[in-house]
Amino acid sequence: MPDSSRPIQLLSDAVINKIAAGEVVERPASVCKELLENAIDAGATHVDLDVVDGGRKRISVADDGSGMTRDDALLAIERHATSKIRDVDDIENILTLGFRGEALAAISSVSRFTLLTRRAGDDTGTEITVHGGKLIDVRDAGCPDGTTMTVRNLFYNVPARRKFLRTVQTELQHIRQMFLMYALAHPGIGLRLVSDEREIYQLNEGATFDERLAELFGRSLPDQMSTVDVDGKQIRVRGRVSRPTLHRADRSEQYIFINGRPASAPVIGYALNQAYSGLLPRGRHPVVFLFLELEAGGVDVNVHPTKREVRFRRSTDVRDAVIEAIRASFAPASSHLVSGDTKSAPDVPDPKSPRPFVRIPDLPSLPAFDYPRKKTAPPTAEVSVGEGPSKQTAEAPAESVTPDDTPSTPDGGTEPAPWNWCRILGVIGGAYVVLETDEGMILMNPRAAHQRVLYESLLAERDGAGALSQGLLQPETLDLPPVKADLLRRMLKPLQTMGFGISDFGGDTFMIDALPVGFGKGGAAAVVRDMLTDIEERGSGKGGRVQREDLARAAAGGAVGAGENLKAEELERLVKDLAACRMPYTSPAGKPTLIFTGMRELDRKFGKV
Ligand code: ADP
Ligand code: MG
């Protein structure tokens, strides 16, 4: 309730700065971002970023850029003080990373801040100290050319904000992600990241983009990507985009840069969807490093204080340019060496042509097979997976059990087997398996079914004498972004007991040399990546600990191609394994595996009743 006895007043600068800090400075990583941007704008060739305690205790950024005079340095910490734009028209034409002139004012109002700077050629440098927005000290100081800014005790005077800071690990991960974006955007600049006196990255100056990409993500990634480079009239699109065989479950590896600035715009996401439409499995996303360059007037970066989201003047042109550039990169290099030979078609399918009809097995004459449902419990059902009442139902005499009186619990209990006997009739639409059973007809989604089977077998290993795993013909290496690498490191043990042969190579690189049985022999890296994404997205159980169930569910969900293109024997095996599951009716993610239509319902539909 506003207090009507209080008069309206203009807020003081100190209060305004603190409010602005709320927009620009969300966490230590945002401080790092602003300071790094300033260093780059100042023409630095080397920037050192040094953080202590995930940046909560101290962040310092040292550059060898232009430096500032004493007067400029004093101005720099004022709100709306910037050397980068002069008047309104300049906002339409921004080529620097900063321009709003509020970062230093905001940061220094919510921390203990020092600025040490010297312009090349000046006799002496300047040191300015500001605590919580109050100028404490200005003095001459000896220092090298360039600027060093130090931010201590971020949010020390904003307890509400301080409370929202996460663990050192989490804050550091955000800093690393931010660092990666700028390291990719500016391969020419030498960059170093040090955390608690440990060097995390040391990137030499003068690198090409390809060199930096390989240095950060490993040498194998570029091999799986095509090069994009189309210089249109309005816009140039360059970079690397994944070939359709490389895809991820989320967009976390889509790095977009607009005029050198890490940025995003909804229209680019849309363009990516279009460019890859029909090329990737549903729900999958490409890995991209895309650089868009257009005249500064064609893009509005002044949409949000953090400048992360931009708006394009002609967004349809941008969209079309991105789609065309990516599509062009997939075309085979030899396509212009015309020949009438249609066999040398590109290995990328034409997205406009309909999905080829995949004939999964013809199975007209498969014999029906029996499931004496409760007489002899199927092997995996005997493995006690939880505290559920699996034992007693599994041992119940067959004669006394009908589907209606078998106790079933929503989770953790044993569901009745889905059929006493069944016969596989065939596959429709290349997607669903049709089964005849004693009581009617069943449609089975083989992918969901396969995930259920995998899930239960992964969990069944928990107290077994070691997991069943199969070695890969070719071990795969896996380079992960920092957040995911940390996640994987924490899960290595349980994954190993589930049959994943994964070892930590250091530096966010892992090697996979075995997968649990049932995962197929290829795409191990993709399986693990998807698993991590799943866990990240759904979060983990109570107390932040990843439960075995979560792991198994994520792993089963990531088994690419599972349940697809099965041969007759494999399909039969799958049907049997599913029948033996404790919870055969849904995938671990809760999707149906089976849709049952009983004889009575069929009769009713045909008007026989
Ligand atoms: P902006 O970057 O939007 O201009 P900032 O508050 O981040 O606003 O910085 C204010 C001004 O301080 C900049 O315009 C620039 O002139 C000066 N400045 C900031 N950081 C540096 C640096 N590392 N080296 C040289 N000058 C800097
Ligand atoms: Mg700035």
Side-chain angles (χ1 to χ4, degrees):
M1 266 278 156
D3 180 349
S4 57
S5 64
R6 286 205 201 167
I8 295 178
Q9 284 181 335
L10 284 174
L11 297 172
S12 71
D13 274 358
V15 175
I16 292 172
N17 285 337
K18 241 167 135 175
I19 293 173
E23 288 186 316
V24 184
V25 187
E26 193 193 339
R27 60 185 346 146
S30 16
V31 172
C32 297
K33 168 187 175 292
E34 294 293 338
L35 299 185
L36 197 53
E37 283 193 350
N38 281 346
I40 294 168
D41 280 346
T45 59
H46 276 104
V47 188
D48 271 15
L49 172 55
D50 189 344
V51 299
V52 175
D53 209 11
R56 303 186 310 180
K57 205 168 203 168
R58 182 166 68 78
I59 295 167
S60 73
V61 176
D63 69 56
D64 59 357
S66 63
M68 286 176 272
T69 61
R70 173 184 280 228
D71 287 351
D72 280 352
L74 280 167
L75 252 183
I77 54 174
E78 295 287 327
R79 182 170 166 77
H80 302 313
T82 178
S83 58
K84 299 170 192 175
I85 54 175
R86 286 277 168 266
D87 51 38
V88 189
D89 290 344
D90 288 349
I91 298 181
E92 312 275 293
N93 255 299
I94 289 163
L95 287 171
T96 49
L97 294 169
F99 61 87
R100 296 173 61 108
E102 54 191 6
L104 294 186
I107 292 167
S108 60
S109 75
V110 292
S111 67
R112 301 184 198 276
F113 174 84
T114 56
L115 188 172
L116 184 62
T117 188
R118 188 167 75 118
R119 227 169 39 157
D122 285 1
D123 292 341
T124 174
T126 306
E127 185 179 60
I128 297 177
T129 307
V130 180
H131 285 180
K134 249 177 71 191
L135 185 62
I136 302 286
D137 188 31
V138 184
R139 65 170 76 183
D140 285 349
C143 66
D145 291 352
T147 304
T148 299
M149 307 225 181
T150 305
V151 175
R152 289 191 177 80
N153 306 99
L154 184 63
F155 298 138
Y156 80 98
N157 57 346
V158 196
R161 273 283 162 137
R162 198 163 173 86
K163 252 187 261 160
F164 279 98
L165 290 180
R166 307 284 300 278
T167 61
V168 173
Q169 273 296 336
T170 305
E171 296 301 343
L172 183 60
Q173 283 156 14
H174 283 278
I175 291 169
R176 288 169 74 165
Q177 290 282 30
M178 181 282 311
F179 183 91
L180 283 180
M181 294 290 284
Y182 284 86
L184 285 166
H186 301 275
I189 300 181
L191 287 167
R192 208 163 86 99
L193 174 61
V194 173
S195 161
D196 295 331
E197 296 182 359
R198 195 166 64 92
E199 185 172 90
I200 298 182
Y201 293 106
Q202 154 73 56
L203 305 167
N204 292 331
E205 68 169 299
T208 63
F209 172 73
D210 283 352
E211 286 163 354
R212 191 147 286 182
L213 184 65
E215 202 168 353
L216 293 171
F217 290 86
R219 309 240 160 233
S220 66
L221 189 73
D223 293 345
Q224 303 172 69
M225 307 190 85
S226 22
T227 302
V228 174
D229 193 351
V230 174
D231 200 351
K233 270 186 294 268
Q234 313 283 339
I235 172 168
R236 180 168 186 203
V237 184
R238 287 180 311 133
R240 294 297 186 99
V241 299
S242 56
R243 301 218 180 89
T245 45
L246 172 70
H247 40 76
R248 307 277 191 250
D250 66 14
R251 298 174 197 273
S252 69
E253 284 180 63
Q254 298 186 345
Y255 295 81
I256 315 284
F257 306 89
I258 297 161
N259 286 349
R261 179 195 302 283
S264 69
V267 68
I268 295 178
Y270 179 80
L272 289 175
N273 283 345
Q274 287 291 302
Y276 282 86
S277 133
L279 299 180
L280 300 182
R282 195 171 306 151
R284 307 288 301 179
H285 304 280
V287 178
V288 305
F289 302 91
L290 266 192
F291 292 79
L292 273 56
E293 283 154 40
L294 58 171
E295 48 156 354
V299 48
D300 181 2
V301 290
N302 194 20
V303 181
H304 188 267
T306 63
K307 298 167 262 156
R308 270 297 299 187
E309 184 145 335
V310 304
R311 214 175 278 149
F312 294 106
R313 193 141 300 160
R314 299 157 176 263
S315 66
T316 51
D317 290 356
V318 172
R319 182 196 65 197
D320 294 347
V322 170
I323 296 174
E324 270 166 40
I326 293 178
R327 286 282 173 86
S329 80
F330 295 155
S334 59
S335 63
H336 58 281
L337 304 171
V338 179
S339 74
D341 182 8
T342 46
K343 268 178 254 145
S344 67
D347 53 353
V348 176
D350 176 359
K352 270 167 266 159
S353 75
R355 192 160 64 91
F357 179 70
V358 186
R359 267 185 91 81
I360 317 187
D362 253 345
L363 302 160
S365 59
L366 258 188
F369 38 87
D370 283 339
Y371 286 105
R373 183 171 25 179
K374 303 301 173 194
K375 239 177 277 164
T376 55
T380 44
E382 272 181 358
V383 178
S384 169
V385 184
E387 287 78 46
S390 56
K391 282 279 157 62
Q392 41 181 24
T393 44
E395 282 157 19
E399 299 75 49
S400 68
V401 178
T402 67
D404 296 324
D405 63 19
T406 304
S408 72
T409 52
D411 200 4
T414 301
E415 294 269 315
W419 43 72
N420 282 318
W421 65 268
C422 79
R423 190 205 324 260
I424 300 175
L425 298 180
V427 177
I428 48 172
Y432 301 113
V433 183
V434 188
L435 307 172
E436 180 193 357
T437 77
D438 43 352
E439 288 154 16
M441 178 187 85
I442 284 178
L443 293 174
M444 179 179 89
N445 174 354
R447 186 165 157 69
H450 194 110
Q451 290 177 358
R452 162 57 59 184
V453 171
L454 279 180
Y455 173 78
E456 294 203 2
S457 76
L458 287 173
L459 283 180
E461 307 298 343
R462 78 158 69 188
D463 32 33
L468 287 175
S469 90
Q470 53 187 353
L472 302 179
L473 297 174
Q474 180 105 53
E476 292 184 37
T477 55
L478 178 62
D479 291 295
L480 289 172
V483 178
K484 290 205 167 101
D486 279 315
L487 190 57
L488 181 54
R489 235 170 263 128
R490 281 189 278 136
M491 303 186 315
L492 274 187
K493 270 266 161 53
L495 283 173
Q496 281 155 356
T497 61
M498 283 183 179
F500 286 90
I502 306 180
S503 38
D504 190 349
F505 249 49
D508 297 351
T509 299
F510 297 81
M511 183 159 94
I512 310 171
D513 59 16
L515 285 178
V517 166
F519 271 81
K521 295 224 159 141
V527 169
V528 175
R529 255 177 218 287
D530 291 356
M531 183 172 68
L532 294 170
T533 303
D534 182 287
I535 295 208
E536 229 174 26
E537 274 173 2
R538 289 166 186 259
S540 39
K542 297 156 223 117
R545 281 197 44 231
V546 180
Q547 308 291 320
R548 285 186 62 96
E549 282 72 14
D550 294 324
L551 267 186
R553 188 205 58 232
V560 181
E564 285 163 18
N565 296 316
L566 297 180
K567 294 201 213 64
E569 316 85 74
E570 294 171 319
L571 200 50
E572 192 182 331
R573 170 92 251 146
L574 177 60
V575 167
K576 283 183 174 164
D577 287 346
L578 182 67
C581 281
R582 295 173 59 247
M583 289 273 294
Y585 296 102
T586 56
S587 76
K591 300 244 172 70
T593 51
L594 302 168
I595 295 175
F596 176 73
T597 312
M599 282 312 286
R600 225 180 296 164
E601 192 181 346
L602 288 174
D603 286 344
R604 193 173 48 73
K605 284 191 169 150
F606 284 106
K608 276 210 203 164
V609 189

